Amino acid sequence: MPTFPEKFPWAPIGYEERPWRSVQDDYGSRTQKRLASGPYLASVPAFIADLDIPLSSELHALTEEAASELARFDAEVGQIAAPFASILLRTESASSSEIENLTSGARQIALAELGEHASKNAQLIVGNVRAMQAALALSESIDGRAILETHRALLEHSNPDIVGHWRDQQVWIGGGNLGPHTAQFVPPHHDRVLELMDDLVAFASRDDLPLLAQTAIAHAQFETIHPFPDGNGRVGRALIQAMLRAGKLTQNVAVPVSAGLLHDTSRYFESLSAYRSGDIAPIIRSIAEASFAAVHNGRILVADLEIVQVDWRGRINARRDSAVHRLVGVLLRQPVIGAAAAAAELGVSTVNAQVAIDRLVDADILTQITDGRRNRIWLATDVVRVLDEFGARAKRRR
């Protein structure tokens, strides 16, 4: 039977002994193999669906203030006639990926989105964009199917064998590959995942709890269950966006909360560990303070892109409804473009799209980054610079 610590204000994890069978050809020293032999302890998270959230007055005030900031920023951006929703979604996806040490510049990410040759990390980040999109699209019904579909969107191109179902193997975090015995954390045995995920979905679907605190706890419980062999962190942070949207705290954009978490990833991971010990305050505080940082950085990003847009439009001598001006709007969210992609976006012929591109090249807005005359690609360097500056600010410790 699992054992649980006593006298905690929340639901700490328990532990249960599980058998472990070593693989004979596992590499490692004798000491390593000895440490990785015999039974191990797997965590047993408590069920949370019916639990209330005990918040101090200080923590309650912090979450309410953070929620107001998120809603205010969402409304601000929603009133701007520019494609900032897709830009912020990409930045949130890139920041969430960077927490997992998947880094890439804005240029590589844009190339990957266009289907051009790009780094593996950039391709994985684009997978995370798809996961965020799926999470937001399914936010009206956050259930097991929605979470599985988010995971599928994330990894269907890079690791299709593990999508579409919960994990069917024991996983662990840290401690090497020989076994879970020396791991930093051992999530629950896979036999428990389905029941725990049903419980998590029930908790996440409640409408009687402070939304930001509820979202932080649901995220921490998800990371504790670790329902997949890979992609848990990215899907777990997509769940944050889905819950903010489902609770109507955000209605227009994905506020880049992960960019706020990037300010201090050590503190973020420590707050997840504290949650597993029964202390919910650190993860709630971490998500709340990340929200303030996300809004601050997001406002700078939006302002910088508006400056770029005004500057560009001042360089163009054409009607405001022309293909040239409409292409400017496309480039703000897709700073790498080819003639075929531009034609599809604008609903014009490839010849007319190329005319618009040439006008922007003459205005020093676009720069060709490929050689030759066939399958040419152009880059909006101003947008890439602004996006990379956003990423640099997100990583900067306060």
Side-chain angles (χ1 to χ4, degrees), residues 101-174:
N101 295 315
L102 297 171
T103 62
S104 180
R107 172 173 170 163
Q108 284 291 310
I109 296 170
L111 283 167
E113 284 188 313
L114 197 59
E116 298 295 323
H117 179 72
S119 68
K120 181 179 179 181
N121 278 2
Q123 294 171 30
L124 291 172
I125 291 169
V126 170
N128 204 15
V129 173
R130 291 191 291 267
M132 290 283 180
Q133 290 170 332
L136 292 174
L138 297 166
S139 62
E140 291 187 4
S141 179
I142 301 175
D143 54 17
R145 181 186 66 85
I147 295 172
L148 287 169
E149 284 303 309
T150 300
H151 187 248
R152 180 187 298 279
L154 176 70
L155 293 177
E156 63 182 342
H157 296 296
S158 58
N159 198 353
D161 292 341
I162 67 170
V163 304
H165 54 85
W166 309 121
R167 61 178 165 88
D168 55 6
Q169 57 188 282
Q170 181 67 69
V171 296
W172 58 93
I173 300 171

Side-chain angles (χ1 to χ4, degrees), residues 311-312 315 358-367 379-382:
D311 175 55
W312 282 359
R315 301 185 205 175
D358 290 341
R359 294 282 297 275
L360 295 182
V361 170
D362 293 339
D364 291 327
I365 293 171
L366 283 176
T367 302
L379 173 72
T381 56
D382 290 335

Side-chain angles (χ1 to χ4, degrees), residues 364-395:
D364 291 327
I365 293 171
L366 283 176
T367 302
Q368 185 173 329
I369 58 173
T370 54
D371 298 324
R373 297 288 301 174
R374 295 174 58 83
N375 301 318
R376 291 179 293 169
I377 301 295
W378 289 265
L379 173 72
T381 56
D382 290 335
V383 174
V384 168
R385 170 183 53 79
V386 167
L387 293 174
D388 285 338
E389 288 171 352
F390 171 91
R393 286 192 302 272
K395 289 182 286 188

Side-chain angles (χ1 to χ4, degrees), residues 205-375:
S205 300
R206 287 172 59 179
D207 59 5
D208 61 331
L209 299 170
L211 180 59
L212 202 64
Q214 179 188 16
T215 299
I217 288 172
H219 171 68
Q221 182 76 349
F222 179 91
E223 299 304 328
T224 298
I225 299 168
H226 234 63
F228 303 113
D230 185 32
N232 295 283
R234 285 165 286 172
V235 174
R237 287 182 291 276
L239 177 62
I240 292 174
Q241 296 294 334
M243 289 186 65
L244 295 178
R245 182 65 58 88
K248 308 301 181 186
L249 198 56
T250 61
Q251 301 184 59
N252 301 298
V253 299
V255 183
V257 175
S258 295
L261 293 172
L262 264 176
H263 277 303
D264 194 344
T265 53
S266 294
R267 184 181 181 189
Y268 166 52
F269 291 129
E270 287 166 2
S271 71
L272 292 174
S273 296
Y275 172 84
R276 293 160 190 158
S277 298
D279 186 357
I280 63 171
I283 187 60
I284 295 173
R285 186 171 285 107
S286 181
I287 297 298
E289 292 180 353
S291 299
F292 289 115
V295 169
H296 175 71
N297 201 358
R299 284 191 173 121
I300 295 173
L301 172 65
V302 170
D304 287 348
L305 286 171
E306 286 188 303
I307 290 170
V308 167
Q309 181 175 223
V310 170
D311 175 55
W312 282 359
R313 294 203 186 280
R315 301 185 205 175
I316 300 169
N317 183 20
R319 298 190 322 274
R320 289 301 295 264
D321 62 346
S322 67
V324 182
H325 275 288
R326 287 191 290 127
L327 185 55
V328 164
V330 173
L331 293 173
L332 287 173
R333 60 178 168 79
Q334 186 175 315
V336 173
I337 199 109
E345 289 283 352
L346 299 174
V348 300
S349 68
T350 304
V351 171
N352 287 336
Q354 186 61 60
V355 170
I357 289 172
D358 290 341
R359 294 282 297 275
L360 295 182
V361 170
D362 293 339
D364 291 327
I365 293 171
L366 283 176
T367 302
Q368 185 173 329
I369 58 173
T370 54
D371 298 324
R373 297 288 301 174
R374 295 174 58 83
N375 301 318

